[in-house]
Each structure stands twice: as C-alpha cells, then as structure tokens.
Amino acid sequence: MSAALASFTEQWSPRIVTAVNDYDVRVAKVEGEHVWHVHDHTDEFFLVLDGELRIALRETGGERTVVLPKGAVFTVPRGTEHKPYAPRATEILLLEPTGTSTVGDRHDEVPDHVDATTGHAIA
C-alpha cells in the first residue's frame, strides 16, 4: 500500500490498487474539502490509513459529521448526500463498484482541486 501511495502526489485523485469482483480498491491522498455529492446506487466505504477524515452527512434528521481517525472505517449509505473533509494531509482507502465516479451521480460544482474520475491506474 505504501508503494502505491508513494507513486503519486495529487490530492482527491484516487488510484486503483486492485479489483475484487466488480469493485475497485482505491487509495487517495486528501486534504481540505471535497464536494457535496450523492451516489444513488451504491454505498461508499472509507478506511483511514493515516491522518483524519471527516465526513459531513445530510440525512433525514439533519446534518451531522462523522470523525474518522487513523484505522477507522465508515460506510456512507447509497443515496446519502455527503462531503468528505480532511483537516490535514490524510491517506484513505475506498471500496466502490468499478466505474463509480468520485463526485457521485449528483454533486455541487466541482472545484479545481477535486479530480472527477472513476480512478486512475497506478503508474
């Protein structure tokens, strides 16, 4: 995993480490804010490899933020609007169906620092 993470520097631009059945295992370096978005047809799994990830969620009962330290896992349920944020340099692992967009099926305007992609191969 460390070799895969050392192979790139871009933030919010996941790399595909391997595939498991019809799912991509992706790693990413993140810092700052992502974008509010929704995956209509799939859950999104996060594992914090290093640093801290916060995920703001807009749910029926209102907004809340989940704080994930190193080693923590969290699954955002399909159809839940969410916005990841890393207060400092953080490394994460994601598990998503192959072809899933990093900005979901619906999203706010995508800022320049966020790569709207379905993942990149490891160089």
Side-chain angles (χ1 to χ4, degrees), residues 47-118:
L47 164 63
V48 179
L49 301 172
D50 193 34
E52 177 183 283
L53 184 68
R54 298 175 187 179
I55 303 175
L57 303 160
R58 289 181 177 156
E59 300 170 309
T60 305
E63 279 191 27
R64 70 180 174 115
T65 299
V66 177
V67 178
L68 305 172
K70 179 180 178 178
V73 298
F74 185 77
T75 300
V76 175
R78 72 189 71 203
T80 302
E81 191 174 11
H82 61 288
K83 181 180 183 178
Y85 168 76
R88 61 183 185 279
T90 296
E91 297 172 343
I92 60 175
L93 181 141
L94 303 141
L95 182 64
E96 299 177 299
T98 299
T100 299
S101 170
T102 57
V103 294
D105 301 302
R106 295 177 282 123
H107 54 80
D108 285 350
E109 185 175 335
V110 179
D112 291 340
H113 71 277
V114 172
D115 186 9
T117 180
T118 56

Side-chain angles (χ1 to χ4, degrees), residues 6-45:
S7 72
F8 65 98
T9 59
E10 296 84 6
Q11 299 285 321
W12 299 110
S13 184
R15 299 307 194 262
I16 300 168
V17 178
T18 191
V20 179
N21 297 315
D22 298 331
Y23 283 77
D24 287 340
V25 178
R26 305 174 184 179
V27 293
K29 295 178 179 184
V30 299
E31 188 170 9
E33 294 187 353
H34 194 265
V35 62
W36 281 105
H37 66 284
V38 176
H39 299 279
D40 290 325
H41 307 289
T42 185
D43 299 338
E44 187 172 20
F45 172 86

